[in-house]
Amino acid sequence: MSAPTGTSPLLRADTLCMNFGGIMAVKDFSFHIDAGETVGLIGPNGAGKTTCFNMLTGFYSPSNGRVLFKGQDITNRKPHAIARLGLVRSFQKTNVMKRLTVFENVLTGHYMAGRQSLLATFFPGEKVRRAEREARESAAEIVETMGLSHRMNAPANLLSCGELRLLEVAVALAAKPSLLMLDEPAAGLNSHEATTFGAVLKTLVGRSIDALLIVEHNMELVMSVSDRIVVLNFGRKLAEGKPGEILENREVAEAYLGKAAA
Ligand code: ATP
């Protein structure tokens, strides 16, 4: 974790647009995330959340607009270069290897994000051995942070759904993000598991990461972990505010439920 410089936001997106063959999936989307914040990005199906995620992290080149991370313009950089700057995302598809243990998965996450050369891996000097020790200590610490110490040596295929979701976040943390972006991290969790998951997420900012952006359909979870909520609808920002304000916003209710029901 590295502190951002000055008072500018950690991440800033200015008037992002994404045009898919004439369909405007995202239109003039601007927002920011400050260090210390957890921001929830919500919206009905097809609102443009994943498209925004992909533009912020270099998987899509925006048709217009720009993205600044720690003051640097990262708009058309490659995803791995953006990840190295400390902006790390998860995917809706799992990043866990089922036959490896919890600890091995997190350690693998560390190496995937690492900069160690293959030569150094096969002919390790003292520097590499020290890095190896530090990686193992860091992996054990991340497992503990995610509340999985008791499952440290369990193969991932024996984990419950709740534990698996926690491990997915642990693997992402192994890349040492400054800003972690989670795309539907609580998919498939029952309400008890989601509560446990949310409680762990709340401990991350300031401890393991500088800020968290979460896209999530589980409203109870996203409202309980977020300091601020940004609502997308038809590719545009519909509302932004504290969870309580968003819950009382009539336009947001209409976007989710339809006018009559709202
Ligand atoms: P969900 O909550 O269902 O995951 P979302 O808010 O993440 O939805 P997106 O997946 O970003 O929404 O999709 C926004 C719009 O852009 C949708 O109309 C979708 O069909 C369209 N879209 C997304 N990706 C592409 C693509 N690669 N090519 C063409 N259209 C796309």
mmCIF file of all heavy atoms in Angstrom, residues 80-88 109-121 127-128 131 174-177:
data_model
loop_
_atom_site.group_PDB
_atom_site.id
_atom_site.type_symbol
_atom_site.label_atom_id
_atom_site.label_comp_id
_atom_site.label_asym_id
_atom_site.label_seq_id
_atom_site.Cartn_x
_atom_site.Cartn_y
_atom_site.Cartn_z
ATOM 1 N N HIS A 80 -1.879 -4.755 -17.436
ATOM 2 C CA HIS A 80 -0.817 -5.175 -16.504
ATOM 3 C C HIS A 80 -0.011 -3.974 -16.017
ATOM 4 O O HIS A 80 0.451 -3.945 -14.874
ATOM 5 C CB HIS A 80 0.091 -6.234 -17.146
ATOM 6 C CG HIS A 80 0.903 -5.714 -18.279
ATOM 7 N ND1 HIS A 80 0.472 -5.758 -19.581
ATOM 8 C CD2 HIS A 80 2.111 -5.106 -18.307
ATOM 9 C CE1 HIS A 80 1.388 -5.208 -20.370
ATOM 10 N NE2 HIS A 80 2.391 -4.815 -19.613
ATOM 11 N N ALA A 81 0.125 -2.948 -16.886
ATOM 12 C CA ALA A 81 0.873 -1.751 -16.478
ATOM 13 C C ALA A 81 0.077 -0.983 -15.423
ATOM 14 O O ALA A 81 0.644 -0.462 -14.458
ATOM 15 C CB ALA A 81 1.143 -0.869 -17.694
ATOM 16 N N ILE A 82 -1.238 -0.963 -15.584
ATOM 17 C CA ILE A 82 -2.106 -0.281 -14.610
ATOM 18 C C ILE A 82 -2.074 -1.037 -13.273
ATOM 19 O O ILE A 82 -1.990 -0.432 -12.204
ATOM 20 C CB ILE A 82 -3.550 -0.176 -15.170
ATOM 21 C CG1 ILE A 82 -3.543 0.774 -16.378
ATOM 22 C CG2 ILE A 82 -4.523 0.290 -14.103
ATOM 23 C CD1 ILE A 82 -4.868 0.881 -17.106
ATOM 24 N N ALA A 83 -2.101 -2.372 -13.349
ATOM 25 C CA ALA A 83 -2.043 -3.180 -12.122
ATOM 26 C C ALA A 83 -0.741 -2.924 -11.379
ATOM 27 O O ALA A 83 -0.712 -2.844 -10.143
ATOM 28 C CB ALA A 83 -2.193 -4.656 -12.457
ATOM 29 N N ARG A 84 0.341 -2.760 -12.119
ATOM 30 C CA ARG A 84 1.635 -2.502 -11.469
ATOM 31 C C ARG A 84 1.673 -1.160 -10.761
ATOM 32 O O ARG A 84 2.430 -0.970 -9.821
ATOM 33 C CB ARG A 84 2.767 -2.577 -12.481
ATOM 34 C CG ARG A 84 3.119 -4.005 -12.744
ATOM 35 C CD ARG A 84 4.396 -4.138 -13.487
ATOM 36 N NE ARG A 84 4.671 -5.556 -13.642
ATOM 37 C CZ ARG A 84 5.678 -6.033 -14.326
ATOM 38 N NH1 ARG A 84 6.516 -5.219 -14.914
ATOM 39 N NH2 ARG A 84 5.864 -7.330 -14.407
ATOM 40 N N LEU A 85 0.846 -0.232 -11.245
ATOM 41 C CA LEU A 85 0.772 1.066 -10.559
ATOM 42 C C LEU A 85 -0.038 0.955 -9.265
ATOM 43 O O LEU A 85 -0.062 1.878 -8.464
ATOM 44 C CB LEU A 85 0.108 2.108 -11.464
ATOM 45 C CG LEU A 85 0.925 2.636 -12.642
ATOM 46 C CD1 LEU A 85 0.066 3.578 -13.479
ATOM 47 C CD2 LEU A 85 2.168 3.359 -12.150
ATOM 48 N N GLY A 86 -0.762 -0.171 -9.109
ATOM 49 C CA GLY A 86 -1.516 -0.381 -7.869
ATOM 50 C C GLY A 86 -3.023 -0.370 -8.035
ATOM 51 O O GLY A 86 -3.760 -0.366 -7.051
ATOM 52 N N LEU A 87 -3.499 -0.377 -9.281
ATOM 53 C CA LEU A 87 -4.945 -0.460 -9.501
ATOM 54 C C LEU A 87 -5.256 -1.899 -9.932
ATOM 55 O O LEU A 87 -4.988 -2.289 -11.068
ATOM 56 C CB LEU A 87 -5.367 0.540 -10.588
ATOM 57 C CG LEU A 87 -6.833 0.991 -10.598
ATOM 58 C CD1 LEU A 87 -7.067 2.029 -11.675
ATOM 59 C CD2 LEU A 87 -7.795 -0.134 -10.730
ATOM 60 N N VAL A 88 -5.793 -2.667 -9.017
ATOM 61 C CA VAL A 88 -5.991 -4.105 -9.251
ATOM 62 C C VAL A 88 -7.483 -4.427 -9.209
ATOM 63 O O VAL A 88 -8.202 -3.928 -8.355
ATOM 64 C CB VAL A 88 -5.246 -4.927 -8.165
ATOM 65 C CG1 VAL A 88 -5.590 -6.405 -8.266
ATOM 66 C CG2 VAL A 88 -3.743 -4.709 -8.299
ATOM 67 N N GLY A 109 -0.909 -15.809 -6.281
ATOM 68 C CA GLY A 109 -1.343 -14.451 -6.617
ATOM 69 C C GLY A 109 -0.191 -13.477 -6.499
ATOM 70 O O GLY A 109 -0.016 -12.585 -7.335
ATOM 71 N N HIS A 110 0.629 -13.675 -5.501
ATOM 72 C CA HIS A 110 1.798 -12.808 -5.296
ATOM 73 C C HIS A 110 2.778 -12.948 -6.465
ATOM 74 O O HIS A 110 3.247 -11.964 -7.021
ATOM 75 C CB HIS A 110 2.475 -13.185 -3.976
ATOM 76 C CG HIS A 110 3.747 -12.458 -3.737
ATOM 77 N ND1 HIS A 110 3.792 -11.249 -3.070
ATOM 78 C CD2 HIS A 110 5.002 -12.737 -4.113
ATOM 79 C CE1 HIS A 110 5.040 -10.830 -3.053
ATOM 80 N NE2 HIS A 110 5.802 -11.717 -3.662
ATOM 81 N N TYR A 111 3.037 -14.197 -6.876
ATOM 82 C CA TYR A 111 4.000 -14.416 -7.962
ATOM 83 C C TYR A 111 3.468 -13.934 -9.308
ATOM 84 O O TYR A 111 4.211 -13.427 -10.127
ATOM 85 C CB TYR A 111 4.393 -15.886 -8.050
ATOM 86 C CG TYR A 111 5.303 -16.289 -6.916
ATOM 87 C CD1 TYR A 111 4.965 -17.312 -6.060
ATOM 88 C CD2 TYR A 111 6.491 -15.600 -6.685
ATOM 89 C CE1 TYR A 111 5.782 -17.652 -5.001
ATOM 90 C CE2 TYR A 111 7.314 -15.927 -5.624
ATOM 91 C CZ TYR A 111 6.958 -16.962 -4.789
ATOM 92 O OH TYR A 111 7.761 -17.274 -3.745
ATOM 93 N N MET A 112 2.135 -14.118 -9.492
ATOM 94 C CA MET A 112 1.542 -13.664 -10.764
ATOM 95 C C MET A 112 1.745 -12.167 -10.931
ATOM 96 O O MET A 112 1.898 -11.674 -12.034
ATOM 97 C CB MET A 112 0.032 -13.954 -10.789
ATOM 98 C CG MET A 112 -0.311 -15.403 -10.625
ATOM 99 S SD MET A 112 -0.220 -16.307 -12.141
ATOM 100 C CE MET A 112 -1.837 -16.037 -12.750
ATOM 101 N N ALA A 113 1.709 -11.448 -9.797
ATOM 102 C CA ALA A 113 1.848 -9.989 -9.867
ATOM 103 C C ALA A 113 3.309 -9.569 -9.736
ATOM 104 O O ALA A 113 3.623 -8.390 -9.802
ATOM 105 C CB ALA A 113 1.037 -9.343 -8.754
ATOM 106 N N GLY A 114 4.199 -10.563 -9.545
ATOM 107 C CA GLY A 114 5.597 -10.256 -9.229
ATOM 108 C C GLY A 114 6.414 -9.815 -10.409
ATOM 109 O O GLY A 114 5.991 -9.865 -11.555
ATOM 110 N N ARG A 115 7.605 -9.359 -10.086
ATOM 111 C CA ARG A 115 8.496 -8.873 -11.127
ATOM 112 C C ARG A 115 9.778 -9.701 -11.169
ATOM 113 O O ARG A 115 10.746 -9.332 -11.782
ATOM 114 C CB ARG A 115 8.857 -7.412 -10.848
ATOM 115 C CG ARG A 115 7.696 -6.478 -11.008
ATOM 116 C CD ARG A 115 7.919 -5.202 -10.225
ATOM 117 N NE ARG A 115 6.711 -4.412 -10.145
ATOM 118 C CZ ARG A 115 5.711 -4.674 -9.329
ATOM 119 N NH1 ARG A 115 5.776 -5.702 -8.506
ATOM 120 N NH2 ARG A 115 4.636 -3.919 -9.312
ATOM 121 N N GLN A 116 9.767 -10.855 -10.472
ATOM 122 C CA GLN A 116 10.967 -11.665 -10.387
ATOM 123 C C GLN A 116 11.244 -12.372 -11.715
ATOM 124 O O GLN A 116 10.337 -12.941 -12.320
ATOM 125 C CB GLN A 116 10.756 -12.703 -9.291
ATOM 126 C CG GLN A 116 12.001 -13.479 -8.947
ATOM 127 C CD GLN A 116 11.746 -14.315 -7.710
ATOM 128 O OE1 GLN A 116 11.443 -13.798 -6.643
ATOM 129 N NE2 GLN A 116 11.828 -15.606 -7.864
ATOM 130 N N SER A 117 12.489 -12.340 -12.183
ATOM 131 C CA SER A 117 12.804 -12.969 -13.459
ATOM 132 C C SER A 117 12.855 -14.481 -13.291
ATOM 133 O O SER A 117 13.080 -15.003 -12.204
ATOM 134 C CB SER A 117 14.150 -12.463 -13.979
ATOM 135 O OG SER A 117 15.182 -13.071 -13.255
ATOM 136 N N LEU A 118 12.630 -15.180 -14.408
ATOM 137 C CA LEU A 118 12.657 -16.637 -14.391
ATOM 138 C C LEU A 118 14.047 -17.129 -13.976
ATOM 139 O O LEU A 118 14.190 -18.088 -13.214
ATOM 140 C CB LEU A 118 12.306 -17.134 -15.796
ATOM 141 C CG LEU A 118 11.621 -18.476 -15.889
ATOM 142 C CD1 LEU A 118 10.374 -18.496 -15.025
ATOM 143 C CD2 LEU A 118 11.243 -18.758 -17.338
ATOM 144 N N LEU A 119 15.068 -16.451 -14.459
ATOM 145 C CA LEU A 119 16.451 -16.825 -14.144
ATOM 146 C C LEU A 119 16.674 -16.796 -12.630
ATOM 147 O O LEU A 119 17.219 -17.731 -12.038
ATOM 148 C CB LEU A 119 17.397 -15.828 -14.839
ATOM 149 C CG LEU A 119 18.839 -16.273 -14.947
ATOM 150 C CD1 LEU A 119 18.949 -17.459 -15.899
ATOM 151 C CD2 LEU A 119 19.702 -15.120 -15.474
ATOM 152 N N ALA A 120 16.169 -15.714 -12.010
ATOM 153 C CA ALA A 120 16.334 -15.569 -10.562
ATOM 154 C C ALA A 120 15.575 -16.662 -9.815
ATOM 155 O O ALA A 120 15.988 -17.114 -8.754
ATOM 156 C CB ALA A 120 15.853 -14.191 -10.122
ATOM 157 N N THR A 121 14.460 -17.123 -10.386
ATOM 158 C CA THR A 121 13.669 -18.176 -9.741
ATOM 159 C C THR A 121 14.448 -19.490 -9.722
ATOM 160 O O THR A 121 14.467 -20.219 -8.737
ATOM 161 C CB THR A 121 12.333 -18.375 -10.495
ATOM 162 O OG1 THR A 121 11.673 -17.117 -10.546
ATOM 163 C CG2 THR A 121 11.454 -19.385 -9.811
ATOM 164 N N LYS A 127 19.084 -12.380 -2.293
ATOM 165 C CA LYS A 127 18.001 -11.404 -2.498
ATOM 166 C C LYS A 127 16.678 -12.119 -2.823
ATOM 167 O O LYS A 127 15.628 -11.777 -2.286
ATOM 168 C CB LYS A 127 18.401 -10.491 -3.669
ATOM 169 C CG LYS A 127 17.708 -9.163 -3.672
ATOM 170 C CD LYS A 127 18.335 -8.256 -4.700
ATOM 171 C CE LYS A 127 17.263 -7.371 -5.299
ATOM 172 N NZ LYS A 127 17.592 -6.882 -6.610
ATOM 173 N N VAL A 128 16.780 -13.140 -3.683
ATOM 174 C CA VAL A 128 15.572 -13.876 -4.076
ATOM 175 C C VAL A 128 15.030 -14.681 -2.894
ATOM 176 O O VAL A 128 13.820 -14.737 -2.657
ATOM 177 C CB VAL A 128 15.872 -14.803 -5.278
ATOM 178 C CG1 VAL A 128 14.702 -15.725 -5.572
ATOM 179 C CG2 VAL A 128 16.199 -13.967 -6.499
ATOM 180 N N ALA A 131 13.195 -12.375 -0.682
ATOM 181 C CA ALA A 131 11.908 -12.013 -1.294
ATOM 182 C C ALA A 131 10.905 -13.156 -1.122
ATOM 183 O O ALA A 131 9.718 -12.939 -0.851
ATOM 184 C CB ALA A 131 12.101 -11.695 -2.769
ATOM 185 N N ALA A 174 -3.015 -10.122 -2.886
ATOM 186 C CA ALA A 174 -1.617 -10.554 -3.011
ATOM 187 C C ALA A 174 -0.865 -9.721 -4.033
ATOM 188 O O ALA A 174 0.361 -9.639 -4.007
ATOM 189 C CB ALA A 174 -1.561 -12.035 -3.388
ATOM 190 N N ALA A 175 -1.591 -9.078 -4.949
ATOM 191 C CA ALA A 175 -0.945 -8.205 -5.944
ATOM 192 C C ALA A 175 -0.604 -6.841 -5.345
ATOM 193 O O ALA A 175 -0.130 -5.963 -6.054
ATOM 194 C CB ALA A 175 -1.849 -8.043 -7.160
ATOM 195 N N LYS A 176 -0.876 -6.664 -4.059
ATOM 196 C CA LYS A 176 -0.557 -5.431 -3.324
ATOM 197 C C LYS A 176 -1.197 -4.186 -3.942
ATOM 198 O O LYS A 176 -0.506 -3.212 -4.298
ATOM 199 C CB LYS A 176 0.968 -5.228 -3.245
ATOM 200 C CG LYS A 176 1.693 -6.330 -2.509
ATOM 201 C CD LYS A 176 1.692 -6.044 -1.031
ATOM 202 C CE LYS A 176 2.367 -7.117 -0.208
ATOM 203 N NZ LYS A 176 1.559 -8.035 0.482
ATOM 204 N N PRO A 177 -2.523 -4.203 -4.080
ATOM 205 C CA PRO A 177 -3.173 -3.027 -4.673
ATOM 206 C C PRO A 177 -3.181 -1.825 -3.744
ATOM 207 O O PRO A 177 -3.161 -1.981 -2.523
ATOM 208 C CB PRO A 177 -4.608 -3.510 -4.903
ATOM 209 C CG PRO A 177 -4.791 -4.698 -4.056
ATOM 210 C CD PRO A 177 -3.468 -5.256 -3.713
#
